Amino acid sequence: ALMVASTAFGGTVQYGYNLAIMNVPTVYIQNFINETFQERWGMYLEVYKVTLIWTFIVSVFSLGGLIGALLAGPMSIHFGRKKTLLLNNIFLMSSALLAVTSRTARSFEMIMISRFLVGINAGVSMNVQPMYFGESAPKHLRGAVSLSSAVFTSFGVVLGQVVGLRELLGCESCWQYLLASNAVPGFIQLFTLPWFPESPRYLLIDRGDKDACLKALRLLRGCEVQRSELDEMLQEQAEVQGKRAQQPWELIADRSVRWQLISITIISSAMQLCGNDSIYFYASYIFQEAGISAEDTQYVTIGTGICEFTACILAEGMLLVGGYALMNFRIFDTFAQHVVYWMPYLSMVCVFTYILSFGMGPAGVTGILPTEIFNQTARPAAYMIAGSLMWLNLFIIGMVFPFLVSGLGQFCFVPFGAVCLITALFVGLVLPETNGKTLSMITSEFHILKSLLLGNLASSEAIVYEIYYQSRFS
């Protein structure tokens, strides 16, 4: 439990925290951009130009995350899971230093670089932390420990929203300290994580060090290692004996995991294309468009973070289908925004329902899926692909969403509703249940699906498995 908390404070907490803190200082940083232009070139920018620069400052976080996702695989293989998380704080501390000095230096470009660096930090931690958790937890707790990544992400969102209140660091005179405050969780990780061991699976399978693996297991379990747990690791070690870690392009070319790769591609993309994180980036825009007063938006925004945090704690099992299906409820109010006076309040309820549904399913399950459906040699490459898609789509949404709100108004969530519906159907028809199953059992179900689609099964087998999948869908 202590290892999970230490890792997450400098890991997924940073992702949620850095999503949330950019909402409140929107106006202050936009004014700072305009003032900087006026001081340098004696001119004020038009509104749409300021909006474009601001959206790039917000969205460059995602480009950094994309680079971080690409670095996560090689770093986790070369340095190990724990050392990668510790080294990752170099990007964080550099970012905080640039952010806190940007105002004195009269440079909004320093804010851009700062956001890019903290994006790299988040990109690395979002990929390496689930691997570290999934490889360190005992089998009966693996799901709960892995889902804690989503809990700490949503905790980071709430923490960022609270620290960003105008009464704290969200005021005009303190916005640079708000942007640099992400260094605090990083220091907590730097002081605590060195006391915990490396991933036991990494030590045994990647490094071939059985003694170090047993020592790490004893420290994490607080007792002697159970023979069944060690046998499971040794079996996986035997299966990948002599194989090196795969590169992303090798994984893409590997036909034996084609459907696993398609699954994480669709689900990781939907994680951002569902539009949930755009609510945290642009919460003020959304609630003001819905008719909530400017004075109340910062408090309503905290409600969205608390909503997801609560949902992540209460979520149990794989709820991808239900989560994406319920998220469609958000678009129901778009067709009646101007019909009755209380519609803005219904819109606010729909946003909370949307976030609650996201927290109950996609937020928790998406990050741990590659751990459950890929083996040790394919896992880093799978996380690189999934993470890259997630960050690339987040960048696209971050750049497009303000203009989507301006162009579509109350209908801005209709495209996201379509994504949620399509993803729910895909998960219901294709993705096997992973709860309580070994990797070989899950791989067999993907093989069955592939054989059914290609017509390679014998007729008697085909009938049995068609009934199986029909019953799942029912």
Side-chain angles (χ1 to χ4, degrees):
L2 291 172
M3 183 270 281
V4 166
S6 171
T7 306
F9 258 95
T12 52
V13 166
Q14 289 289 355
Y15 174 69
Y17 190 82
N18 285 289
L19 278 180
I21 60 174
M22 290 305 288
N23 177 51
V24 172
T26 300
V27 175
Y28 307 137
I29 296 177
Q30 287 178 346
N31 290 338
F32 176 68
I33 293 167
N34 237 335
E35 290 168 7
T36 304
F37 262 85
Q38 201 277 330
E39 290 172 6
R40 290 179 185 176
W41 296 291
M43 58 176 287
Y44 284 104
L45 292 174
E46 297 176 41
V47 174
Y48 83 91
K49 291 182 180 178
V50 174
T51 303
L52 187 61
I53 294 173
W54 167 245
T55 53
F56 186 76
I57 288 174
V58 171
S59 301
V60 77
F61 174 70
S62 312
L63 287 182
L66 175 61
I67 302 300
L70 294 173
L71 290 173
M75 286 180 69
S76 64
I77 294 167
H78 184 73
F79 297 110
R81 295 9 173 181
K82 187 184 86 168
K83 286 182 181 177
T84 296
L85 290 168
L86 290 170
L87 289 170
N88 191 32
N89 285 287
I90 294 171
F91 300 113
L92 176 67
M93 299 307 167
S94 302
S95 165
L97 182 63
L98 285 169
V100 79
T101 56
S102 60
R103 190 168 189 172
T104 304
R106 307 303 292 171
S107 172
F108 63 85
E109 294 88 352
M110 291 174 68
I111 303 176
M112 290 182 183
I113 299 170
S114 168
R115 292 291 293 174
F116 179 74
L117 290 173
V118 80
I120 295 176
N121 170 269
V124 171
S125 62
M126 287 288 285
N127 280 11
V128 178
Q129 181 180 308
M131 273 194 280
Y132 187 36
F133 284 176
E135 293 172 4
S136 301
K139 186 178 179 181
H140 68 286
L141 290 176
R142 196 169 296 156
V145 170
S146 298
L147 283 169
S148 68
S149 292
V151 174
F152 279 100
T153 299
S154 55
F155 172 73
V157 169
V158 177
L159 185 64
Q161 290 168 339
V162 171
V163 173
L165 286 172
R166 293 187 185 94
E167 292 82 355
L168 297 176
L169 295 182
C171 57
E172 197 278 334
S173 60
C174 294
W175 60 260
Q176 70 274 27
Y177 303 114
L178 175 63
L179 298 186
S181 61
N182 51 24
V184 176
F187 278 119
I188 293 174
Q189 184 184 77
L190 283 172
F191 292 142
T192 57
L193 188 58
W195 297 96
F196 298 100
E198 179 57 87
S199 156
R201 285 178 183 269
Y202 173 81
L203 292 170
L204 178 65
I205 299 172
D206 290 78
R207 292 297 185 211
D209 191 341
K210 186 177 178 180
D211 292 336
C213 171
L214 289 170
K215 184 179 178 181
L217 284 171
R218 290 191 194 101
L219 183 59
L220 287 171
R221 305 293 181 264
C223 60
E224 283 301 312
V225 181
Q226 292 186 6
R227 186 67 199 177
S228 58
E229 183 175 15
L230 185 60
D231 286 343
E232 182 192 347
M233 292 186 186
L234 290 170
Q235 180 185 354
E236 187 174 347
Q237 183 191 34
E239 289 173 356
V240 300
Q241 192 73 39
K243 298 179 181 178
R244 61 175 178 81
Q246 287 181 287
Q247 298 297 328
W249 52 88
E250 294 172 333
L251 190 63
I252 292 169
D254 188 350
R255 291 182 176 274
S256 66
V257 292
R258 181 63 49 83
W259 277 99
Q260 289 92 318
L261 193 59
I262 290 171
S263 297
I264 65 162
T265 297
I266 291 174
I267 293 168
S268 297
S269 297
M271 177 84 167
Q272 302 302 339
L273 294 178
C274 70
N276 183 78
D277 286 343
S278 61
I279 292 175
Y280 297 126
F281 272 153
Y282 302 109
S284 297
Y285 284 157
I286 294 169
F287 289 123
Q288 286 173 22
E289 285 286 325
I292 308 300
S293 67
E295 292 75 18
D296 295 333
T297 53
Q298 65 170 343
Y299 304 109
V300 176
T301 301
I302 292 176
T304 63
I306 292 172
C307 191
E308 184 178 338
F309 182 51
T310 304
C312 288
I313 293 174
L314 297 177
E316 294 180 2
M318 180 168 280
L319 299 171
L320 277 174
V321 179
Y324 279 117
L326 284 172
M327 286 167 75
N328 282 282
F329 180 67
R330 172 66 186 91
I331 69 170
F332 291 164
D333 72 309
T334 61
F335 300 102
Q337 281 279 1
H338 303 293
V339 176
V340 288
Y341 70 92
W342 43 263
M343 192 53 66
Y345 302 100
L346 176 60
S347 179
M348 191 166 65
V349 170
C350 288
V351 168
F352 287 150
T353 304
Y354 189 82
I355 293 171
L356 187 67
S357 305
F358 180 80
M360 289 177 64
V365 177
T366 304
I368 66 172
L369 194 59
T371 301
E372 297 193 319
I373 66 177
F374 288 96
N375 64 25
Q376 188 80 4
T377 58
R379 205 167 286 147
Y383 268 106
M384 287 173 69
I385 293 169
S388 299
L389 287 168
M390 188 190 80
W391 287 103
L392 183 61
N393 285 300
L394 180 60
F395 174 74
I396 293 169
I397 292 296
M399 288 297 293
V400 168
F401 191 74
F403 301 100
L404 201 62
V405 173
S406 301
L408 296 180
Q410 72 269 25
F411 299 103
C412 64
F413 274 84
V414 172
F416 301 136
V419 171
C420 294
L421 181 60
I422 292 168
T423 306
L425 290 172
F426 175 83
V427 171
L429 289 169
V430 173
L431 191 67
E433 177 59 72
T434 61
N435 188 30
K437 295 180 181 178
T438 63
L439 178 62
S440 59
M441 293 168 65
I442 296 167
T443 304
S444 297
E445 288 200 33
F446 274 111
H447 173 69
I448 291 165
L449 172 67
K450 178 183 176 182
S451 299
L452 279 172
L453 291 173
L454 296 178
N456 290 342
L457 288 178
S459 58
S460 58
E461 291 177 305
I463 291 170
V464 171
Y465 290 124
E466 281 176 9
I467 292 170
Y468 165 71
Y469 273 99
Q470 286 171 7
S471 66
R472 269 192 63 209
F473 185 59
S474 300

